[in-house]
Amino acid sequence: MKNNDLNHDWMHGLYRLPTSQRQQIISDQFSLADDQQALMKENASQLGSQLIENYLTDYRLPEGVVTNLVVNHKTYAVPVVTEEPSVVAAACNGANRAALSGGFTAPAAERAMLGQVVLKNVADPAALNKWLLEHETEILAVANAAHPSMQRRGGGAKRIRIRPAAPFVSVDLIIGVGEAMGANTVNTMAEAVAHYLKEQGYDVLTAILSNAAFMSLQSAACRVSFKNLATATMNGEVVAQRIAELSQLAQVDPYRAATHNKGIMNGIDALMLASGNDWRAIESGAYAYAASSGQLKGLSTWEIDGDALLGRIKLPLPVGTVGGSIGLNPLTRLNFKINGIHSAGELARVAASLGLAQNLAALRALATSGIQAGHMQMQYRSLAVAVGATAAEVPVLVKRLKKLPQVNQNVAKQALQELRKDSL
Ligand code: MEV
């Protein structure tokens, strides 16, 4: 190991080298074993090396498919990417329960992005306000000239909003980005407007899109009959009441809200990854929206409605179906073939519904057997793989682990040894 050496010269200019040379340097510096070197090389791709700097290899994550997600009467099979064992199982469970009661409804929603050009040292805010309003047409023309194709496609900069953020003033550009995520378009337009305002003598602090995408809010809802919530030992109405209480808890307790929303984002992030979208942007927007009242709250609510549980969700989903890495990655294209999604609006509707399905499954588990029962089933599988069980051994080992009162890595290791002894 040379990573504690004082000499870090090898790091300089690493980005200029071809991938193979960079891999070699890393292998030497960190004394990688032959099989580790081979792993790094086998997983490397041309595409990856074109996407990021200092590229080494592709880090793979499991992809699964969420089945029976019914949104606006269309049944989807949705590929998702996640490393968390219980996510796909929970999503399928929630989707299925909702499907039995007619599935999700999600209306077509407005979609716009926001770029901010922030001014500082504003001596006379009222005069600035007046000047900006008088020059709105010019400002929008400057923005649109920076990305003319967007306007041709029905998008482009539509209006400005002047927002004090003392001691600064933010000139917000409201921009339509069509089917794309639009980050580059928005940033290009914001920078062009910043340049224009500088020319007019204004002091510009920064120009950048905002991830608080509150102009791309997507909602979804479902009404799940009590009978589709029952367990073997608990009737559906009691389950529904407990889910409604858990929902209330997420509205009043930020500690619970964070976890409630994490469950929702388990599904949405996994879909964002599988569809080549910027999941950090979606996360950032979701949490900004969840805290927009000044207190972090659950993004979804559940309430009793006659003989059913009514669930609703609303969050910013400024997603895209073109642009970024979407067109470049063949697996992303494959995923769009499977999910049958044709537009950014449709992707947002499916994502909101998936988040609500994921949330339903989590809350139902919390309201009934607790989260660990279902989780452990999946954790056993991961544990079996981690201790070296072969594909054939995994199901047998999982069966044995389930019978034990307490399971950890050592217990699993021992159980695997016993299984192998037994099968000699
Ligand atoms: C685990 O990844 C997500 C949950 O904790 C969500 C929740 O508690 O609602 C199960």
Side-chain angles (χ1 to χ4, degrees), residues 120-256:
K120 60 177 184 166
N121 297 321
V122 178
D124 184 348
L128 170 70
N129 215 56
K130 186 166 175 287
W131 187 91
L132 287 167
L133 291 176
E134 282 167 5
H135 291 81
E136 177 167 5
T137 312
E138 282 100 311
I139 292 170
L140 295 178
V142 167
N144 285 319
H147 213 303
S149 62
M150 200 44 88
Q151 216 177 11
R152 283 200 295 275
R153 280 181 256 145
K158 304 278 187 207
R159 61 188 174 90
I160 65 167
R161 180 177 72 178
I162 305 154
R163 201 167 41 82
F168 310 105
V169 174
S170 182
V171 183
D172 294 343
L173 305 169
I174 318 303
I175 301 167
V177 292
E179 294 301 307
M181 290 179 270
N184 285 330
T185 308
V186 173
N187 287 333
T188 304
M189 289 187 177
E191 285 182 8
V193 170
H195 183 74
Y196 168 75
L197 292 180
K198 268 185 214 162
E199 278 178 352
Q200 308 302 313
Y202 291 105
D203 201 350
V204 176
L205 173 66
T206 192
I208 184 75
L209 78 79
S210 169
N211 286 120
F214 297 174
M215 290 177 180
S216 294
L217 292 178
Q218 178 64 56
S219 64
C222 65
R223 200 175 169 278
V224 187
S225 304
F226 290 157
K227 63 177 188 298
N228 296 324
L229 293 167
T231 70
T233 55
M234 210 185 272
N235 88 47
E237 186 168 358
V238 175
V239 177
Q241 269 154 359
R242 288 197 184 182
I243 292 177
E245 280 167 352
L246 285 166
S247 159
Q248 196 188 352
L249 176 64
Q251 294 301 308
V252 297
D253 177 15
Y255 283 82
R256 176 55 206 156

Side-chain angles (χ1 to χ4, degrees), residues 84 86-87 256 259-260 262-263 266 359 362-363 366 371 375:
E84 187 171 329
S86 52
V87 165
R256 176 55 206 156
T259 325
H260 179 104
K262 192 272 182 181
N266 271 344
N359 184 227
L363 296 192
L366 288 174
I371 212 72
H375 266 208

Side-chain angles (χ1 to χ4, degrees), residues 74-92:
K74 179 172 167 186
T75 303
Y76 292 87
V78 186
V80 293
V81 172
T82 180
E83 89 301 340
E84 187 171 329
S86 52
V87 165
V88 180
C92 291

Side-chain angles (χ1 to χ4, degrees), residues 65-80:
V65 62
V66 176
T67 48
N68 213 15
L69 185 75
V70 177
V71 184
N72 298 335
H73 307 295
K74 179 172 167 186
T75 303
Y76 292 87
V78 186
V80 293

